[in-house]
Amino acid sequence: MTIPIAVTVNGTVQEVQNVEPRLLLSDFLRETLGLTGTHVGCEHGVCGACTVLMNGDSVRSCLTLAVQADGAEIVTVEGLGTPEALNVLQTQFREHHGLQCGFCTPGMLMTGEDLLRKYPLASDDDIREGLSGNLCRCTGYQNIVAAIRSAAALRNKEPS
Ligand code: FES
Ligand code: FES
C-alpha cells in the first residue's frame, strides 16, 4: 500500500503519489526530493543531525514518518539561505568557526534557528540547553554557542 502526500518543503508544495507508510521523513527529503543537506547519523533520535523544522518546531526527521508530514510545512537547511546568500545564523557559524567536518552542522543550524525564532534573547545557558540534543564530535561546542549568540545579537539589532 502507498499513500499520496502533499508537503510544503522550503516554500514549495511537493505532491508525491506513492509514499510507503514506513518511509522516514529523512529518507523522503534526501532520496525522494534530493535534499541531501539533511544529514542522517544515528537514525534513532540521538544525534540530532537530521533535525528539520516542521510547522515551526524542530523535529528529528529520522523519527518522523513522511506520511506524518502530509499537509505540513517543512524547512530544511536548504531553506535557510543559499551559498550566495547565507542567512545570519549560517554566516555566524562561518565567522566563529562553528563547524569542522560539518556533519552535525545542518542539525545544529536548524536547532539554532528554532531556538532563535522562539527565544530571541536566549542566554548562553539557554543555547547550551537548546543544543543538548545535538551531538558534535569535532568542535567542543564552544564556537557553536558563540555563533548562535552572535546571530541572536545581530538579529536583535535588525529593524523589525
Ligand atoms: S539521525 Fe536522526 S537523531 Fe540521529
Ligand atoms: S563539526 Fe564534525 S561533528 Fe560537528
Side-chain angles (χ1 to χ4, degrees), residues 7-10 14 23-38 50-53 59 61-62 66 69 74-78:
V7 190
T8 303
V9 181
N10 302 330
Q14 303 283 354
L23 181 69
L24 297 173
L25 179 59
S26 49
D27 291 335
F28 176 76
L29 293 169
R30 289 177 55 84
E31 291 170 22
T32 308
L33 302 185
L35 294 172
T36 53
T38 299
C50 66
T51 304
V52 299
L53 301 184
V59 297
S61 61
C62 76
I74 302 290
V75 180
T76 69
V77 70
E78 288 92 343

Side-chain angles (χ1 to χ4, degrees), residues 19-100:
V19 176
E20 290 202 18
R22 65 181 178 176
L23 181 69
L24 297 173
L25 179 59
S26 49
D27 291 335
F28 176 76
L29 293 169
R30 289 177 55 84
E31 291 170 22
T32 308
L33 302 185
L35 294 172
T36 53
T38 299
H39 288 172
V40 174
C42 66
E43 286 190 280
H44 58 271
V46 174
C47 74
C50 66
T51 304
V52 299
L53 301 184
M54 183 158 120
N55 295 331
D57 292 320
S58 56
V59 297
R60 306 278 207 237
S61 61
C62 76
L63 293 184
T64 307
L65 296 169
V67 294
Q68 290 177 287
D70 186 25
E73 294 219 12
I74 302 290
V75 180
T76 69
V77 70
E78 288 92 343
L80 289 186
T82 64
E84 298 74 32
L86 299 175
N87 86 351
V88 66
L89 186 56
Q90 292 170 311
T91 61
Q92 294 315 294
F93 266 66
R94 184 176 62 193
E95 295 298 316
H96 291 271
H97 306 288
L99 64 151
Q100 290 181 23

